Amino acid sequence: MTGLRGEVAIVGIAELTESTGERSPAGMMAEASRLAIAEAGLRKEQIDGLFTTTPYYYAPSLTFAEYFGLAPRYSDSSVIGGCSFEAYVGHAAAALAAGLCDYALITYGSTQRSDGRALVSGAEWLEYERPYGLLHPISPIAMIANRHMHQYGTTSEQFAHAAVAARQWSAKNPRAPYRDRVLTVEDVLASTMISTPVHKLDCCLVTDGAAALVLTTAERARDLAKPPVYVLGFGEAADHRNITGMPDLVATRAADSAERAFRMAGLGVDQVDVAEVYDAFTMSLVVLLEDLGFCEKGEGGPFVESGAIAPGGSLPLNTNGGGLSFLHPGMLGAFLLTEAVQQLRGEASERQVPGARTALAHGMGFTLGGHATVVLGTAETL
Amino acid sequence: MARVPVIRARGEESRYQDALAEGRILFQVCEACGAAVWYLRTVCPVCMAASLREEVSAGLGTVHTLTTIHRAGHPDRAEDVPYTVALVDLDEGIRVIGDLTSDAAIGDRVRADVRPDGLAFALDEGSRA
């Protein structure tokens, strides 16, 4: 066991999950932040570390500090895609442990669904990929999926099982928009083909959403309102931005980030009670499950087909329905963490994994180019 | 290939585009470590050497992966759907992206037609087994 195991804790969380169109992205972040700070029993003036990004603002931490009325002495708007928020947990832990801030706020907000087709990504195209009209990020994921199918014999039916499992979990989540609508493998395969082999229902939802988390040192956490959820380990790894630069299309650096997180936590993958793994697409989820060690490389298809990730299976995964069946407001990373915290507090109601003491949250960025893994635990795991 | 997005190439990017317009696929070989490099860099991404020799690819390679796109990723390709884009491993040791204009599969040998606006790969009949 090395590093910052158990040194910091998550002490407040909030999620906004309705697509009302009544708040701006910064307005959603402010409301989520207010709720998370209040839940922790803190005052806004105590927040002195700010960790945020969103595609809506060029300088997200400045924009949000101004909007919400903060004057952080430590701020971080690193962008490694949707996993930026798992990375922020590690960055915040380091800053808190070093005394560079005392109370860290991580937040995200997006009005992606309300924006509809008006949403224009600010992301640049790689000059050399630009002429070919890849549909981002779906076509790069499709290329990864086709290679996986070619190399390991994975089938579209197997990928579809990941979407079906997510829908089954979402049935236990009163906030999930399609919780009453049963999804079958046949439904996924019959949905519109977007970029072979990616069907519409292999893709995540498009929703609004905001989330916030407050972190502090374990010592300060003891006096606060909620039972602390401890950061046991974290790790990052990143290596590409564009699909032409992906070193190996079927094996990602999630293996490295997870290894770093598990090493710090002093735990193995078989000791994870509940896992929240970035599921923007069924295909990317299958690759990540392999790289994180939940099954062998190349066995992701049979693994999800076996029912392992459905309710009642061997791996409680994406217990709120995930990006595939609950919410995906552009970037999912913060919501993987908030669900993991709810599970470890025992607050997940019908979807609660009984007795969960350890949780893994793994985010990926862009098309499997950025990775950050966080291992969380209850006080018993310290 | 139909109309393509406006290119705003800078520096080594425009050198690549200019070569493409003349029918050549540029890549680099690192004079220090021998790495084959695509796209063009100012510094070798393997060993950080600044001495990169530019070479021209023969345009022959193997399909590594592909996808047929049914919803255009850019308005300029709306009339082309469905169109297929592939990653191709060229024989010089570089991986490039291009249109795939014939009914090829992963592992098939293909040859590049170098067009001013990009690469279009088709099955290489000469190397068919």
Side-chain angles (χ1 to χ4, degrees):
Chain A
M1 294 175 205
T2 55
L4 298 171
R5 185 188 200 278
E7 294 290 315
V8 307
I10 299 170
V11 295
I13 61 163
E15 294 173 343
L16 301 185
T17 63
E18 290 182 358
S19 301
T20 64
E22 289 172 2
R23 296 185 187 99
S24 70
M28 294 187 68
M29 290 158 67
E31 177 61 6
S33 298
R34 180 184 74 83
L35 294 170
I37 293 166
E39 195 204 49
L42 292 168
R43 290 172 291 107
K44 190 184 74 168
E45 293 68 29
Q46 292 172 278
I47 302 296
D48 58 355
L50 176 59
F51 301 75
T52 186
T53 189
T54 159
Y56 291 88
Y57 309 117
Y58 179 74
S61 63
L62 289 181
T63 298
F64 187 67
E66 175 185 303
Y67 186 104
F68 193 55
L70 288 175
R73 62 184 174 116
Y74 195 95
S75 55
D76 181 350
S77 286
S78 305
V79 184
I80 54 171
C83 59
S84 299
F85 306 89
E86 280 69 37
Y88 292 157
V89 171
H91 299 187
L96 289 162
L100 300 176
C101 59
D102 294 334
Y103 297 95
L105 172 67
I106 298 174
T107 186
Y108 175 75
S110 165
T111 54
Q112 192 178 27
R113 183 177 184 82
S114 299
D115 296 340
R117 294 190 176 273
L119 179 73
V120 177
S121 168
E124 82 289 357
W125 288 55
L126 177 70
E127 188 59 39
Y128 306 89
E129 291 186 2
R130 187 172 179 166
Y132 305 103
L134 292 177
L135 181 64
H136 282 285
I138 298 175
S139 297
I141 294 293
M143 288 176 153
I144 291 165
N146 264 333
R147 188 69 204 177
H148 200 276
M149 295 166 88
H150 173 81
Q151 224 163 304
Y152 300 118
T154 317
T155 65
S156 288
E157 287 78 5
Q158 290 171 337
F159 289 131
H161 274 280
V164 170
R167 183 62 59 85
Q168 290 169 350
W169 276 108
S170 83
K172 302 169 181 290
N173 179 356
R175 297 170 297 163
Y178 304 114
R179 61 188 174 279
D180 297 328
R181 212 178 296 174
V182 172
L183 185 70
T184 66
V185 167
E186 292 69 32
D187 293 335
V188 177
L189 299 182
S191 64
T192 308
M193 182 60 80
I194 299 176
S195 187
T196 60
V198 181
H199 304 83
K200 181 180 179 185
L201 293 178
D202 285 305
C203 304
C204 61
L205 307 181
V206 175
T207 68
D208 293 1
L213 301 104
V214 178
L215 287 81
T216 190
T217 59
E219 190 182 344
R220 290 189 182 88
R222 280 196 286 271
D223 304 327
L224 297 180
K226 281 285 184 179
V229 168
Y230 294 90
V231 178
L232 302 182
F234 51 85
E236 281 181 54
D239 63 7
H240 70 278
R241 165 70 173 82
N242 305 289
I243 193 64
T244 51
M246 187 169 184
D248 182 340
L249 266 70
V250 296
T252 76
R253 289 195 185 273
D256 297 334
S257 68
E259 197 275 330
R260 289 165 186 150
F262 282 130
R263 181 156 28 99
M264 191 187 298
L267 295 172
V269 67
D270 55 343
Q271 291 169 289
V272 171
D273 293 334
V274 55
E276 310 295 338
V277 179
Y278 208 109
D279 60 340
F281 302 94
T282 59
M283 294 83 173
S284 54
L285 176 63
V286 165
V287 173
L288 288 176
L289 291 173
E290 297 170 353
D291 291 337
L292 295 171
F294 290 112
C295 61
E296 294 295 315
K297 178 49 69 185
E299 293 298 313
F303 181 68
V304 299
E305 186 178 28
S306 75
I309 63 171
S314 57
L315 176 65
L317 179 78
N318 297 344
T319 43
N320 55 11
L324 289 167
S325 260
F326 177 27
L327 84 171
H328 197 294
M331 296 167 124
L332 184 64
F335 303 89
L336 304 172
L337 293 161
T338 49
E339 175 66 6
V341 168
Q342 289 171 76
Q343 288 287 347
L344 294 181
R345 287 177 178 173
E347 293 177 346
S349 307
E350 195 190 336
R351 65 187 193 281
Q352 179 66 44
V353 176
R357 292 169 32 165
T358 61
L360 173 140
H362 179 84
M364 65 108 172
F366 293 90
T367 48
L368 293 165
H371 298 275
T373 312
V374 175
V375 179
L376 300 172
T378 62
E380 300 164 273
T381 63
L382 290 177
Chain B
M1 192 183 304
R3 293 164 301 145
V4 296
V6 175
I7 301 288
R8 284 194 202 85
R10 290 158 289 205
E12 70 279 4
E13 297 167 350
S14 35
R15 205 160 63 250
Y16 182 83
Q17 300 297 351
D18 291 348
L20 215 54
E22 295 164 2
R24 293 177 292 129
I25 308 169
L26 281 190
F27 71 105
Q28 294 164 315
V29 175
C30 176
E31 294 188 326
C33 76
V37 177
W38 183 96
Y39 44 86
L40 302 187
R41 308 297 217 282
T42 58
V43 171
C44 174
V46 177
C47 76
M48 212 171 75
S51 50
L52 293 157
R53 183 176 71 248
E54 287 183 6
E55 298 199 357
V56 177
S57 166
L60 280 168
T62 305
V63 175
H64 185 70
T65 189
L66 52 85
T67 182
T68 299
I69 298 170
H70 293 262
R71 186 190 297 172
H74 192 284
D76 285 349
R77 295 217 66 177
E79 292 170 12
D80 296 346
V81 290
Y83 54 91
T84 301
V85 179
L87 298 185
V88 174
D89 290 339
L90 294 179
D91 295 347
E92 292 87 357
I94 54 172
R95 178 170 297 164
V96 300
I97 184 171
D99 280 5
L100 189 60
T101 57
S102 56
D103 191 20
I106 292 175
D108 283 347
R109 295 285 296 166
V110 289
R111 179 186 293 273
D113 178 13
V114 185
R115 302 173 181 179
D117 51 6
L119 305 179
F121 287 94
L123 276 173
D124 180 40
E125 301 297 337
S127 62
R128 217 169 202 181

